[in-house]
Amino acid sequence: MPQDIRELANDPEAYAAELRRRWGGLLSYRYIGRSYASMDLGPVDDTVTLRHDIRNATGGILLAVLGIASPDSGGVSDLEAVPNPVVHSCQILDPGRDVRRIEIRSEVLKQGRQMAYSRSRIVDADNPDRVLALNEGQGISIGVPPEGLQKMPLNPIEVVDSPDLPPLWQVFGGSRRADNRWALPELTVDVASPDAALHIGPQFVILETAALDAASGVAGTDRLQGVSSHVMFMSRGKVGPFRVECEPMTGADGTVAVRAVLHDEGADDKPITAGSYLFAISA
């Protein structure tokens, strides 16, 4: 199992080495091509280039990708604290079907001793007046790192766009099991945050995947565009496998809502994350 970096807080050199290893190996940001000036060496680049696998069946941007690109946990970096997300929400103004790159414009609203709040405006990087989505969220500090931590070299994964790219749920190890539930496997280091818990990236991906699948079942089509999402991180996922339970319901004017809960089966089936999703049927 991955090691909780907080166990190294009294050894600055070991802590820094482990943070470099974990940040450099974390799949979420590396695979979608997101860098963070607060953590990464090099020029500031708050853009993400969109690929086929980052879009849904209608060509719109996946909610999960917007969540990974802009987790909005209060703007606190791993160099300052051991951050954990609490709440994340996203509202779609424009699905961005013809957009090539997005730019994330983040704003810290408040940073307290433990709690922090931030929000982001996600725009078309080539036409910044075109707003695609609004994200906001809340995070909490669950630990204090040693002083003197430095920014780290980027370790991106070069992914060439192609219609043959695997879906994101497959990249993160997800699957639809024989019991018809979507799930992630037991926790591994490449999908674990430095505090040895399931990172938000795979959680966003498997929750939206399961919600889309459930919504398609009641809508009779997979041509669904996410309109909004609201995710609450209730407990840290420590063991796995992680199973999603969904409750879909139809609304007016071609909308479908899904409530989803992610469970840690290896930790007495504890519910760790709950999300609600709203989708609209597209022509």
Side-chain angles (χ1 to χ4, degrees):
M1 298 295 293
Q3 181 181 19
D4 189 334
I5 200 169
R6 293 175 296 177
E7 298 171 2
L8 304 174
N10 294 323
D11 187 340
E13 290 187 6
Y15 191 105
E18 181 66 7
L19 184 59
R20 284 194 299 271
R21 185 176 78 88
R22 300 290 289 279
W23 182 255
L26 185 60
L27 184 60
S28 302
Y29 307 123
R30 296 169 63 216
Y31 193 77
I32 72 162
R34 175 70 162 113
S35 65
Y36 287 90
S38 61
M39 294 286 292
D40 300 314
L41 291 170
V44 175
D45 183 4
D46 290 322
T47 67
V48 172
T49 299
L50 301 179
R51 309 184 304 250
H52 285 81
D53 60 330
I54 285 174
R55 301 181 185 274
N56 57 38
T58 77
I61 307 168
L62 288 167
L63 291 163
V65 171
L66 297 175
I68 296 171
S70 177
D72 279 300
S73 298
V76 178
S77 80
D78 290 71
L79 304 182
E80 307 167 281
V82 181
N84 248 36
V86 178
V87 176
H88 181 275
S89 68
C90 179
Q91 290 84 41
I92 302 296
L93 283 75
D94 180 337
R97 294 186 177 92
D98 60 339
V99 173
R100 297 187 305 109
R101 296 183 307 139
I102 56 173
E103 179 183 352
I104 299 92
R105 298 184 171 184
S106 297
E107 172 189 4
V108 174
L109 297 172
K110 180 181 179 180
Q111 289 181 346
R113 185 174 60 88
Q114 282 191 293
M115 305 300 296
Y117 307 81
S118 63
R119 64 184 180 184
S120 294
R121 185 193 309 255
I122 299 175
V123 303
D124 179 348
D126 300 309
N127 179 16
D129 290 333
R130 182 180 176 185
V131 181
L132 306 177
L134 300 175
N135 284 3
E136 60 184 10
Q138 174 187 13
I140 187 171
S141 172
I142 61 172
V144 180
E147 296 181 356
L149 296 174
Q150 303 295 317
K151 293 183 181 182
M152 296 163 282
L154 280 168
N155 185 26
I157 298 174
E158 298 297 332
V159 182
V160 178
D161 194 9
S162 164
D164 298 325
L165 284 174
L168 289 183
W169 57 262
Q170 185 174 327
V171 172
F172 284 97
S175 64
R176 186 176 182 177
R177 305 191 309 196
D179 63 4
N180 212 32
R181 269 69 168 181
W182 285 91
L184 294 168
E186 292 185 358
L187 187 66
T188 57
V189 69
D190 59 331
V191 294
S193 54
D195 62 297
L198 184 64
H199 192 253
I200 58 172
Q203 295 192 61
F204 280 138
V205 169
I206 202 66
L207 283 166
E208 184 180 13
T209 299
L212 269 169
D213 188 40
S216 297
V218 299
T221 177
D222 66 350
R223 295 194 59 78
L224 298 169
Q225 170 61 47
V227 175
S228 67
S229 63
H230 185 270
V231 181
M232 299 183 294
F233 301 93
M234 302 179 293
S235 184
R236 295 157 65 236
K238 298 290 292 179
V239 185
F242 304 95
R243 182 190 79 258
V244 185
E245 295 286 347
C246 288
E247 178 191 3
M249 57 201 81
T250 56
D253 301 321
T255 58
V256 182
V258 179
R259 296 200 297 187
V261 179
L262 185 64
H263 295 257
D264 187 342
E265 293 184 335
D268 298 322
D269 209 38
K270 177 172 62 177
I272 61 169
T273 305
S276 58
Y277 294 83
L278 181 63
F279 302 100
I281 298 175
S282 298

